[in-house]
Amino acid sequence: MVAMGGGPEVPQQKGEKGRTHLLCVLPWPQKVSEKIIKEIQDEFPNLELQYVHENLEDPSQRLKIEVPEELYKRADIIATIKWLPPNASVIPNVELIQFFSAGSNHVTQHPIYKDSKIPLSTVSGIHGPQIAEWVIMMNLVHSHKYIYLYELQNKKEWEGITGRAVRDKVGQRVGILGYGSIGRQVARVAQAMGMDVIAYTASRRPTPESKKDNGFIVPGTGDPDGSIPSKWYSGLDKPSLHEFLKQELDLLVICVPLTKDTTHLLSTDEFAVLQQSNPNGTYVSNISRGKIIDQPALIKALETKQISGAALDVTDPEPLPSEDPLWSAPNCLITPHISGSTTVYSERAFQVLRENLRRRRDGCKLLNIVDRKRGY
């Protein structure tokens, strides 16, 4: 399912001799995406695709990618995750840069982002299923005391009394801070487990139309019409955020993009509000960006049991240095920014590009266009 997005309308355009030149600079071999690429080329016979493999798996090759200048000089569309040409003047024909990432915060200081008006699109919407599974998995690992049970298994010890302290999820409340595609799939799964869901967004969503998801949606997932949350909170000010955090949350899922306004959005005061609202302890799950949480304040909140624990797929910085105290913070589970990974990632990302190729051909609004002023 794909809903109409809010990007600019783009007239039908073609490159030299009626062809559209697509340059892909991606961190996996072309053969990984052969099936979907062939489908796209069959649908768009005038599309000429050039593929450059950016090997990000080999640390020695990072930042050493060399893309022939003649490829990006005649490109009409660029598909990439991290690589960009040095500036907009060297890509005179480019009318869309399709990032195969959920956000664009990693390029906000690049001249193309700051000094050009080239439309930038993301693949927001493809990460919901796998990240929602990670969020629920980590929360269950915590609540079912699985780490302790696994240690018992390694010691070949049988201690059935451990399970008596487990509280199932029915009737518990999850607060989703940032109700985009990822948050909506978390909501869908949490609701299926019997949890109450409340949502928080920067802007108000007072009407049914305003609550709809207008981005890319993996079929059969998410909350397309925004009907799952029992309550909806909003605002860019601290009092509004605190009102949301006061709702006795058992699980807080952080899904907001990293911007100037969201940097250290959760700090000492916010952890105090969570503790006052739920003395049993809120479990904090961050799958967004590490800098959204004030990390020293988080460590203190864990050490003083202001919150019951944390699951972090993102940290500040990344990679997290071995000497960082976060590694040894109590009740803290850390994974190396992998919650968005899935074997079908490239296929779904190309589906977003395919939809934008259709919209470009038909002169319609492009999908997932970045608002440079908002930062996402």
Side-chain angles (χ1 to χ4, degrees), residues 102-106 127 131 134-135 176-180 182-183 186 252-259 262-266 284-293 311-316 318 335-340 375-376:
S104 58
N105 61 287
H106 59 294
H127 303 79
I131 293 183
W134 183 95
V135 168
I176 301 178
L177 184 59
Y179 202 62
I182 295 170
V186 172
L252 171 64
V253 184
I254 301 169
C255 305
V256 294
L258 178 63
T259 65
T262 62
T263 299
H264 288 183
L265 186 64
L266 267 69
V284 176
S285 182
N286 187 10
I287 52 79
S288 185
R289 293 293 184 267
K291 288 186 177 180
I292 290 171
I293 296 181
L312 309 173
D313 189 47
V314 289
T315 61
D316 179 21
E318 293 182 12
T335 57
H337 207 148
I338 47 77
S339 67
Y376 58 93

Side-chain angles (χ1 to χ4, degrees), residues 188-321:
R188 186 186 186 103
V189 179
Q191 184 188 55
M193 297 173 64
M195 300 184 76
D196 177 44
V197 177
I198 64 173
Y200 189 93
T201 51
S203 57
R204 291 183 66 248
R205 308 295 177 91
T207 65
E209 185 64 28
S210 67
K211 293 178 179 179
K212 290 183 178 179
D213 184 354
N214 292 318
F216 181 86
I217 304 172
V218 176
T221 71
D223 180 18
D225 59 3
S227 62
I228 291 178
S230 61
K231 290 184 179 179
W232 203 299
Y233 297 81
S234 62
L236 293 172
D237 57 289
K238 286 288 187 177
S240 296
L241 174 62
H242 288 187
E243 186 62 29
F244 169 72
L245 299 177
K246 288 178 182 178
Q247 303 309 308
E248 200 172 343
L249 304 179
D250 298 290
L251 172 62
L252 171 64
V253 184
I254 301 169
C255 305
V256 294
L258 178 63
T259 65
K260 182 178 67 174
D261 292 329
T262 62
T263 299
H264 288 183
L265 186 64
L266 267 69
S267 189
T268 303
D269 292 345
E270 287 66 48
F271 292 125
V273 171
L274 288 172
Q275 182 186 36
Q276 293 166 6
S277 172
N278 184 1
N280 292 323
T282 299
Y283 193 70
V284 176
S285 182
N286 187 10
I287 52 79
S288 185
R289 293 293 184 267
K291 288 186 177 180
I292 290 171
I293 296 181
D294 178 350
Q295 205 155 278
L298 171 64
I299 294 171
K300 184 176 180 181
L302 289 165
E303 291 174 341
T304 59
K305 298 183 179 180
Q306 283 186 302
I307 56 177
S308 64
L312 309 173
D313 189 47
V314 289
T315 61
D316 179 21
E318 293 182 12
L320 188 65

Side-chain angles (χ1 to χ4, degrees), residues 27-130:
W28 50 77
Q30 184 172 351
K31 64 181 180 181
V32 172
S33 310
E34 272 182 347
K35 183 176 181 293
I36 183 69
I37 287 176
K38 184 179 184 306
E39 291 175 0
I40 291 173
Q41 289 179 317
D42 288 344
E43 184 175 353
F44 299 91
N46 291 324
L47 184 70
E48 180 179 316
L49 185 146
Q50 298 289 338
Y51 199 106
V52 178
H53 178 203
E54 182 182 15
N55 186 3
L56 299 181
E57 298 300 323
D58 183 354
S60 66
Q61 297 303 310
R62 290 178 184 173
L63 304 179
K64 292 184 179 180
I65 182 69
E66 292 185 7
V67 179
E69 186 176 351
E70 64 268 20
L71 291 186
Y72 58 77
K73 276 199 168 183
R74 66 192 186 105
D76 299 298
I77 300 170
I78 294 175
T80 181
I81 288 185
K82 294 191 174 186
W83 176 86
L84 282 175
N87 54 63
S89 65
V90 300
I91 48 173
N93 301 318
V94 169
E95 57 190 52
L96 172 66
I97 297 177
Q98 177 71 66
F99 285 104
F100 275 28
S101 55
S104 58
N105 61 287
H106 59 294
V107 295
T108 55
Q109 298 308 308
H110 194 283
I112 288 176
Y113 188 100
K114 294 195 300 182
D115 304 328
S116 83
K117 294 183 179 180
I118 297 173
L120 312 175
S121 171
T122 70
V123 291
S124 175
I126 75 168
H127 303 79
Q130 63 270 33

